[in-house]
Amino acid sequence: MKSLILYYSKNNTTKETVEKISRNKDVDVCDLRKLDNVRISDYENIYIGSGIYMGSLPGTVKKHIKKISKSLEGKNIIYFVHGIISQKNYKEIINNSIGEYLSNSNTRYLYLGGRLDVSKQNFIIKKMLKQIAKQNNLNPNYVDTRNKTCIEGLINDIK
């Protein structure tokens, strides 16, 4: 049973998780933006990972999932997301963003928490993130809500 991880990582949190998985499991990995040489039909389990930004999945993710949606039909899809404060509505965010493209698959969703180095953001994003951090009792300079137990559970889930 071959497994494939497709991912998109804007701030490297998802990429770090994927790298951790690939160190521990025999799994093929591909950045969603580089799908040209991947035969999705060769895989039974497809793990798709990305971050949640401003309450949505990135446009890049939407575009590429739409492009490969026919090849995902009938596959076991495990969609994992990183998000700082999206734990309560991550399933809704995924469904609103790409749910129509995963409707013919056996799909599960996992929330892994998020991480963001606020100092690497532009002025407006810094201000917004510091306010979000304050409202959620998080460190305003380095927000990290990753759930190591959930990440380990994902790694253990991969066949």
Side-chain angles (χ1 to χ4, degrees):
M1 187 180 309
K2 288 179 76 176
S3 295
L4 171 67
I5 299 175
L6 302 174
Y7 76 97
Y8 172 76
S9 189
K10 183 176 178 180
N11 293 309
N12 289 325
T13 305
T14 304
K15 183 178 181 183
E16 288 175 9
T17 298
V18 169
E19 288 171 348
K20 185 174 185 177
I21 293 167
S22 64
R23 280 193 303 268
N24 292 291
K25 296 289 183 170
D26 182 24
V27 61
D28 293 336
V29 174
C30 181
D31 185 312
L32 267 171
R33 297 167 291 186
K34 301 174 182 173
L35 280 170
D36 294 336
N37 297 321
V38 176
R39 288 178 24 135
I40 293 173
S41 60
D42 290 349
Y43 302 91
E44 185 173 336
N45 299 308
I46 312 290
Y47 294 82
I48 305 171
S50 74
I52 293 174
Y53 306 97
M54 305 293 287
S56 182
L57 296 182
T60 298
V61 171
K62 295 175 195 179
K63 178 178 91 174
H64 290 290
I65 296 299
K66 180 180 180 180
K67 185 176 170 182
I68 64 169
S69 62
K70 291 289 183 205
S71 353
L72 295 175
E73 290 181 5
K75 303 288 183 183
N76 297 316
I77 308 292
I78 299 85
Y79 203 105
F80 61 96
V81 291
H82 283 285
I84 295 171
I85 57 167
S86 306
Q87 186 170 6
K88 292 180 183 173
N89 62 342
Y90 71 97
K91 290 180 185 175
E92 181 182 337
I93 290 169
I94 296 168
N95 279 323
N96 288 342
S97 297
I98 59 169
E100 67 185 290
Y101 308 122
L102 302 177
S103 60
N104 293 320
S105 303
N106 177 21
T107 307
R108 290 187 301 137
Y109 305 114
L110 300 171
Y111 177 77
L112 306 178
R115 175 186 56 90
L116 185 61
D117 186 347
V118 177
S119 69
K120 294 181 179 179
Q121 306 303 313
N122 69 41
F123 177 78
I124 294 171
I125 300 295
K126 280 182 191 178
K127 286 292 209 188
M128 183 180 65
L129 289 171
K130 286 187 178 201
Q131 184 63 31
I132 290 169
K134 183 179 177 183
Q135 291 171 347
N136 291 279
N137 298 315
L138 301 169
N139 179 339
N141 297 310
Y142 185 80
V143 180
D144 191 344
T145 63
R146 289 177 292 178
N147 185 320
K148 290 179 175 64
T149 303
C150 290
I151 293 169
E152 289 301 320
L154 171 61
I155 292 170
N156 293 333
D157 182 75
I158 295 177
K159 297 159 180 70

